Amino acid sequence: MKSGYVALIGRPNVGKSTLLNHLVGQKISITSRRPQTTRHRILGIKTTEAGQAIYVDTPGLHGNQKRAMNRYMNRTAKTALVGVDIVLWVTDRVTWHHYDEIILQLLEKIQIPVILVINKIDSLQDKTAMLPFLKDADQRFPFSGIVPVSALLGDKLDDLESNIMELLPDGGMFYPEDQITDKPERFLAAEIVREKLTRRLAKELPYQMSVEIERFDEEKSLVKINALIWVERDTQKSIVIGKKGCVLKAVGQQAREDLEGLLGKKVYLELWVKVKKGWSDSEKALKNLGYE
Ligand code: GDP
Ligand code: MG
């Protein structure tokens, strides 16, 4: 059998979380049209007869940005590569970006097999447009594979998976075969609430919120969840609540539906909005909220 760790790296918004969800076959990592959605390192586990691939969804790699949240993400992106067996470098364009040079420098240092995944080929009208890029990529770096895919449509993911299996080292399973993630359900609950908020308030609230699960009580046929939504300012609080509570109500309803699907039980979800001033600037506040 083969087994090992596979890290997904790449610019924000190229489709890493979408790819992870489709590879594992279940919604594990939240996705959105807005960059920086993924803040945590998340494992998705896929076990087949051929072996076990454990996927690590890293936060996006960023340039030099000052805020604490960005420092946190940069750190995670680097530490997430330690001990992995394969790197999937996901891109969604067929031209080079100055940002790619930074990634190439990083990849040269780590000496781990790298598969270049060109995502979103469904939106490429003329497929021959990627040919010069494929040739150029091959010359720039000794990739262990270059695979064009559509994560969203699940197109060519078989090719990608067999490429991954070939590269994984021989070894036994790290996790039981029916386990698909290492994250407790409590964490997934916070991620789902945050996803609904992010989708709804993309324009109004740039990155300044966080969700903390205050209570997660599983009963026989019901799960009671209380979630705190932390924002930085009173004005943001009223945006999250909405007119007559309409935003919070819609977010709560959507999150509850997803949670009921995930947990297979009825969910009673209560949302509270609280103000914590300047939390995204302070490392200490980040730690308090569980971003370590
Ligand atoms: P991440 O930041 O790299 O994790 O990116 P996400 O997985 O959150 O995806 C960002 C956006 O790209 C979302 O709106 C996805 O629906 C979209 N997306 C992801 N994969 C594909 C794809 O294969 N084709 C198209 N057309 N869109 C995609
Ligand atoms: Mg993501």
Side-chain angles (χ1 to χ4, degrees):
M1 246 193 118
K2 303 263 198 155
S3 66
Y5 287 79
V6 184
L8 290 97
I9 67 162
R11 259 182 307 114
N13 226 28
V14 293
K16 297 180 295 297
S17 300
T18 308
L19 182 63
L20 176 70
N21 291 337
H22 279 83
L23 283 168
V24 177
Q26 193 166 330
K27 185 162 186 160
I28 292 173
S29 186
I30 67 167
T31 62
S32 84
R33 248 171 249 106
R34 204 156 65 95
Q36 283 184 305
T37 304
T38 308
R39 283 178 183 170
H40 291 264
R41 170 182 176 172
I42 297 174
L43 298 181
I45 306 162
K46 173 80 175 273
T47 310
T48 62
E49 275 174 15
Q52 185 169 68
I54 303 152
Y55 294 97
V56 188
D57 184 26
T58 64
L61 290 161
H62 295 268
N64 295 323
Q65 289 170 48
K66 287 194 189 85
R67 294 171 76 90
M69 184 57 83
N70 287 313
R71 277 203 299 278
Y72 161 79
M73 285 200 280
N74 281 321
R75 267 202 307 271
T76 312
K78 280 174 191 156
T79 52
L81 297 182
V82 175
V84 307
D85 301 291
I86 302 172
V87 172
L88 300 187
W89 178 13
V90 186
T91 181
D92 64 351
R93 55 169 82 207
V94 292
T95 53
W96 295 100
H97 189 259
H98 72 87
Y99 177 87
D100 297 330
E101 303 293 338
I102 300 166
I103 292 198
L104 278 170
Q105 281 168 19
L106 181 75
L107 296 179
E108 271 158 16
K109 270 185 234 147
I110 57 171
Q111 311 235 322
I112 300 170
V114 181
I115 300 175
L116 178 63
V117 180
I118 304 164
N119 190 28
K120 308 193 187 179
I121 50 161
D122 56 291
S123 55
L124 202 65
Q125 294 285 329
D126 175 15
K127 303 281 188 278
T128 60
M130 68 179 146
L131 294 177
F133 180 74
L134 294 180
K135 194 166 161 236
D136 196 36
D138 203 36
Q139 283 165 357
R140 271 181 199 237
F141 189 84
F143 290 108
S144 303
I146 300 178
V147 192
V149 304
S150 168
L152 199 61
L153 304 182
D155 200 18
K156 296 279 183 289
L157 297 186
D158 292 355
D159 291 353
L160 178 59
E161 282 194 273
S162 49
N163 206 328
I164 290 167
M165 278 302 161
E166 271 167 38
L167 291 169
L168 280 179
D170 292 328
M173 294 193 293
F174 289 90
Y175 293 93
E177 60 185 313
D178 57 353
Q179 192 169 338
I180 57 153
T181 180
D182 75 330
K183 291 291 172 188
E185 286 165 340
R186 200 184 168 100
F187 169 81
L188 291 176
E191 286 289 88
I192 285 171
V193 172
R194 201 160 64 79
E195 176 190 62
K196 303 306 172 201
L197 279 166
T198 309
R199 289 206 171 153
R200 176 105 193 186
L201 300 172
K203 291 188 202 81
E204 295 95 325
L205 288 182
Y207 318 131
Q208 289 146 339
M209 60 187 161
S210 170
V211 178
E212 181 189 338
I213 301 297
E214 203 184 31
R215 171 184 184 204
F216 190 104
D217 288 339
E218 190 154 6
E219 295 169 9
K220 223 181 192 167
S221 56
L222 177 78
V223 187
K224 287 183 182 162
I225 304 170
N226 287 6
L228 291 180
I229 299 163
W230 289 103
V231 293
E232 285 187 334
R233 281 190 288 274
D234 291 325
T235 48
Q236 294 170 342
K237 180 172 171 176
S238 38
I239 292 170
V240 171
I241 293 172
K243 275 205 187 84
K244 290 184 185 159
C246 69
V247 174
L248 206 57
K249 197 175 159 202
V251 164
Q253 192 171 333
Q254 287 167 2
R256 183 176 52 75
E257 282 166 14
D258 268 22
L259 281 165
E260 287 182 341
L262 181 83
L263 302 170
K265 282 185 183 177
K266 249 187 107 58
V267 168
Y268 177 79
L269 175 66
E270 223 170 81
L271 301 177
W272 297 94
V273 189
K274 289 198 172 177
V275 180
K276 185 161 192 161
K277 292 199 170 64
W279 71 265
S280 68
D281 275 324
S282 144
E283 300 262 346
K284 197 163 168 236
L286 284 177
K287 282 199 181 126
N288 285 341
L289 291 163
Y291 291 108
E292 289 213 71

